[in-house]
């Protein structure tokens, strides 16, 4: 139980640092990377919930969320590059 609290604290710190980069990022690419980091953090949080609540459906949801987030980030990066 103590390990879960440590993980949640680390996830909260990483989320706040990513939010800072989203709002204060000097370029759009920095903001995009911060959003990608936040989607990765969210997928990790879903995996942590799956382990804590012993519900394996959260693992499937985390996997689908991560794949969709990856596709979204790739599409937006291609848009910024001018490839779409």
């Amino acid at each position: 139980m103590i390990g879960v609290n440590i993980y949640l604290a680390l996830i909260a710190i990483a989320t706040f640092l990513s939010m800072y980069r989203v709002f204060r990022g000097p370029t759009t690419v920095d903001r995009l990377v911060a959003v990608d980091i936040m989607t990765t953090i969210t997928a990790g949080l879903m995996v942590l919930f799956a382990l804590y609540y012993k519900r394996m459906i959260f693992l499937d949801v985390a996997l689908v969320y991560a794949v969709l987030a990856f596709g979204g980030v790739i599409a937006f990066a291609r848009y910024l590059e001018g490839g779409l």
Side-chain angles (χ1 to χ4, degrees), residues 3-82:
V4 173
N5 291 335
I6 292 171
Y7 292 141
L8 288 177
L10 291 174
I11 288 172
I13 291 169
T15 302
F16 286 127
L17 290 173
S18 297
M19 289 295 285
Y20 175 78
R21 180 53 59 195
V22 167
F23 293 125
R24 298 285 302 205
T27 65
T28 308
V29 176
D30 289 329
R31 290 183 172 105
L32 180 64
V33 169
V35 169
D36 185 36
I37 290 170
M38 288 187 341
T39 59
T40 304
I41 290 169
T42 305
L45 192 59
M46 287 181 199
V47 170
L48 194 63
F49 283 156
L51 294 175
Y52 183 74
Y53 290 116
K54 295 177 180 59
R55 301 282 307 217
M56 294 304 119
I57 189 70
F58 288 134
L59 293 176
D60 297 334
V61 172
L63 181 64
V64 170
Y65 179 76
V67 168
L68 290 175
F70 175 74
V73 168
I74 293 298
F76 195 69
R78 296 249 341 214
Y79 171 74
L80 288 177
E81 190 179 76

